[in-house]
Amino acid sequence: AGLTPGDAARVTVESLSGRSFPGTLRRVFWVPTEQGLNDPAYFEIEVTVPNPDLCLKEGFQGRLEFDLPEAAPRP
């Protein structure tokens, strides 16, 4: 998908009234979590998100979006 450690991300948590938090992609695991030939490939990633006011809690679910630069057009 073109993800690289250091890419900017944004996590939006609906249970906190849709509040968004900036984040940074820290790691991409290049081995899929499921390895069946007929199964979809899912890859684990790790994103660092600052939590200065400690409002993010374990178990909260959020929507993760990456701020990727536009791909250069191919000649």
Side-chain angles (χ1 to χ4, degrees), residues 1-2 7-8 66-74:
D7 285 346
F66 288 96
D67 301 322
L68 300 176
E70 293 291 324
R74 291 186 174 194

Side-chain angles (χ1 to χ4, degrees), residues 6-60:
D7 285 346
R10 183 175 46 260
V11 177
T12 303
V13 181
E14 290 304 319
S15 60
L16 296 175
S17 300
R19 185 171 168 192
S20 291
F21 299 85
T24 305
L25 180 62
R26 185 165 176 220
R27 290 178 67 185
V28 177
F29 297 85
W30 295 112
V31 177
T33 57
E34 299 291 330
Q35 297 192 9
L37 293 176
N38 294 325
D39 296 332
Y42 295 101
F43 295 86
E44 190 174 327
I45 62 171
E46 185 176 307
V47 176
T48 303
V49 179
N51 189 19
D53 57 358
L54 304 177
C55 65
L56 292 173
K57 306 290 183 202
E58 186 175 338
F60 279 5

